Structures are given as structure tokens and as C-alpha cells.
Amino acid sequence: MTSPVQIAPASGKLGVLLVGLGAVSTTTIAGVMAIRRGLASPIGSLTQMGTIRLGKRTEGRAPKINEFVPLASLNDIVFGGWDIFEADCYAAARTAGVLEPAQLEQVRPELEAIKPMPAVFDQRYVKRLDGPNVKKGKNKRDLAEQLIADIRAFKAKHGCDRMVMIWCGSTEVYMKETAVHATIDSFEKGLEQSDDAIPSSMVYAYAALREGLPFANAAPNLTADIPAMLQLAAKMKSPLAGNDMKTGQTLIKTIIAPGLKARLLGVKGWYSTNILGNRDGEVLDDPESFKTKEESKKSALDYIFQPHLYPELYADLTHVVRINYYPPRGDNKEGWDNIDLIGWLGYPMQLKINFLCRDSILAAPIVLDSVMFLDLAKRAGMSGIQEWLSFYFKSPMHAPEVYPEHDLFIQLMKLKNTLRYLQGEDLITHLGREYYD
């Protein structure tokens, strides 16, 4: 065992600012309100239900994670956020249609009290959406300063000791890094010139980091993973996580693919298609937004299978991803996967998966866990990319000199070992020789 890391106490209120009060955000907020009143269980949340093994298996030490590390209390969370529509959180949740009306009625007064602040929004980056609740400014620097004023006003109004921001907005059009993203100075000049290479999500990330807030990107946009943001995060000692929360089909891929690779089964083809009908589906019906999502969804298999190390098994893999907007399905997403396998002596096999899931129901506990762990990281003095939170993301942020880890089980080991490290406990290697020597 080593000395534990000094972690500031989780006392006082934690302000949680969500960008976009759509299906994911309202499901998260309503869920937290129901859970802290004892009306529901936090199923799917590692911070609320998960345990962590400490020491040898023979010791029988497996406390709950929220009893092992000093996480914020759900009772101390205060929610707020921005949206392009003016509806309060209750009305937005009814429109989203994820939770049953009777369930929403139980927390209606609390939801109605959350009214969205006017958003920074530019339809050039999300072409299928538009709304009236939008800020106006002389340039993007002015809009960023308005967001900073919102953050400060929210913190003062609610007496928050700490804040976290999560981008839960829609998927923006596909973008690549340019010269404006290279440094803090070039980025700030770009804000003043309203550079087209700075989408709305980057304006939010900049505002959050300027105020020292932890920031996570729940969408696949190019947002905080640019040099300017990494420099600003280091300067302001802000933790970062992202990108694109791992919920439905990609969650299944990062569970199944490691198992196939572990048994050295070949994969010739992996065909994935989805149907969904929520706002996310409408946005992804635009080819430029779909391109952003496609890049996020397709990268996982390449990194898990490592075709450069196993060319005979995976070099010729055909990987196809399709997303289809189908309004009748609403937030209930359906993912089909057909996997063409190669076994012993080259014999073909197939695996077919049909996952009928609820997109926001899977995303909400990830939003909550990201808030909790980012706040912990900030209080522990951990700034910049938090790769130990890659467990939650389709395209995990990572240092440029290493490849991203997509194997869900390695990601979970990394996360729990980070918690052990913070508390001075021995890391778990799973070697197990001590039981037999």
C-alpha cells in the first residue's frame, strides 16, 4: 500500500450544467431527483451501485465505490443548463417521451423549476435543428463571455462550491483540426473573428475551462480534444473526458469483440445497423452529422482487434455502420449486428445480435457517473485528459503518443485501479500467484 492522494472534501453544493436539455439530460435530471427521494434505483450507475475489490480475494473486502472514495452526494447536486428551446425541464421531458408521465409527475415541481438559459447555437453545425432560445453576440468571443457570465451567475444564485459541465447537445457536423485550434492564443483570436472552425460545442468547452470547470463531451464532435483546449485545461487545472457516450450498439461491440479476440476467432465482417426516432436520430439523418458519428462508432473494432498484430484474423475485416431515422421508434433504439466469424481450420460461423434498447436510459447513468468522477478528479488535483474514464466513451480521449483503449474490461480495470491508487490501496493485477506459492 502507498499513501493516499489528498482529495478535497465533497462538501457543499455541486452545480451540474448540461448543454442541451433534451432526452438524455432530462432523463438524467428526473432520474437523480427520483433516486434521491427513494422513488427509483440507480440501475446502471457504477458510482451508486458498483463495488470495488480491495486486497486479496481471501480478504473479502469489496466496499461500494461511493463508500470507498469521497464522491459528492446526490442530495448536493443542483442542475441547470442551456437549450435552444424555452421549455422547462418538465415540459422538455414530456416532449422527449422517455419516462412515463406518472413517473415525471412525482418530481414535477423540481423539474419545472429548471428553465434553460439561452443557448449558443449555430445551425450550420447542426442542420436539422433550430430554436428560438438562442444568444446573440457580436462574435464568438462575446458568446463565450456570455456563457462565463451564466456560469458565474448560476454558481452565485445556487451557492455552489463546485461545478461540472457536460455537453449533451446534438452531434455536430464532421470537422478536422485546423490552425485555429493549435494554441490558446490562436483559438481566442478565432473566437474574436468568429472562425468557422469553432463550432458551438467548442465555445462551451472554452467557457467551462476558462472557469476551471471539469468538462466532458457526450457527443462525437471535435470539441475538447484539440491542443488549445488541452493547454487551457492544464493552465486552469481542469479535468477532461469524452467523447461520445458508449450506450447501445458500441457498448455491445466492446463487450463481444474482446471475447472473440481473446479466443483468437477470426472476424471477416461486422455489419451494424440502427433505427431510432428521437432528436438524435433526426440530427444524424444529416450526412455531415452522421459522418461524425460514423467515425466514432467504427474506430472501436480496429483498436480492439489490432489487425497489424493479427493480420490473418482481422486484416480483411469489412465493417459497415448504418443509422436510420425512424420516427415511430422514438427514444427506443434498435441495433442489429451480423458478425461473420472464422473458426478452427477456417470454418465459417455467424453471430447475430438484436439489441432493443432505450438510448437515454442507457446514457443517463453515464452522465451521472461522469459528473461524479470528474468532480472527484478535480478535488484530487487531476487535470487534463482522464483516460481512466474511457470506460464510458466510444472515442476515448487519450495522449497523442498512445492508442485509445476500447476493450471495456481493460477500461474498467483502469478505472478501478485509479480509484485504488487515489486511496493508497494496492493495485489489482489479477496475477493470483500469491494463493499458490
Side-chain angles (χ1 to χ4, degrees), residues 40-226:
S41 297
I43 296 172
S45 170
L46 193 65
T47 62
Q48 304 306 305
M49 300 190 79
T51 62
I52 182 167
R53 176 190 140 196
L54 305 177
K56 297 179 179 179
R57 281 178 278 167
T58 51
E59 295 177 30
R61 291 194 295 148
K64 290 185 68 176
I65 286 173
N66 60 12
E67 296 170 352
F68 175 62
V69 291
L71 298 177
S73 167
L74 294 187
N75 294 322
D76 293 333
I77 292 179
V78 183
F79 286 105
W82 299 267
D83 199 87
I84 64 173
F85 300 108
E86 297 169 325
D88 63 51
C89 211
Y90 172 77
R94 288 295 301 263
T95 299
V98 178
L99 302 178
E100 295 295 331
Q103 198 169 29
L104 290 173
E105 287 297 324
Q106 295 178 304
V107 290
R108 180 171 181 170
E110 295 169 272
L111 291 174
E112 287 180 330
I114 301 174
K115 296 178 171 58
M117 295 176 277
V120 172
F121 178 76
D122 188 328
Q123 198 177 23
R124 291 178 300 166
Y125 305 107
V126 185
K127 296 182 179 181
R128 297 295 173 94
L129 291 184
D130 197 13
N133 198 35
V134 176
K135 294 185 186 298
K136 298 187 184 305
K138 62 182 181 180
N139 54 33
K140 292 180 180 180
R141 180 65 178 261
D142 182 23
L143 294 173
E145 295 298 336
Q146 291 182 47
L147 290 177
I148 290 170
D150 288 346
I151 294 169
R152 293 176 179 175
F154 185 92
K155 186 175 184 180
K157 178 181 178 180
H158 296 282
C160 298
D161 293 80
R162 309 173 317 282
M163 307 275 282
V164 174
M165 186 189 294
I166 311 285
W167 170 274
C168 294
S170 297
T171 300
E172 295 173 324
V173 298
Y174 183 70
M175 300 188 74
K176 291 185 177 181
E177 192 178 306
T178 70
V180 76
H181 304 137
T183 67
I184 298 173
D185 286 343
S186 65
F187 187 83
E188 290 179 339
K189 287 177 183 175
L191 287 172
E192 291 168 4
Q193 297 167 0
S194 292
D195 193 297
D196 290 344
I198 300 178
S200 305
S201 62
M202 287 188 188
V203 180
Y204 280 99
Y206 172 80
L209 297 179
R210 266 272 307 276
E211 290 298 285
L213 273 61
F215 179 86
N217 180 18
N221 325 315
L222 182 68
T223 299
D225 42 353
I226 58 173

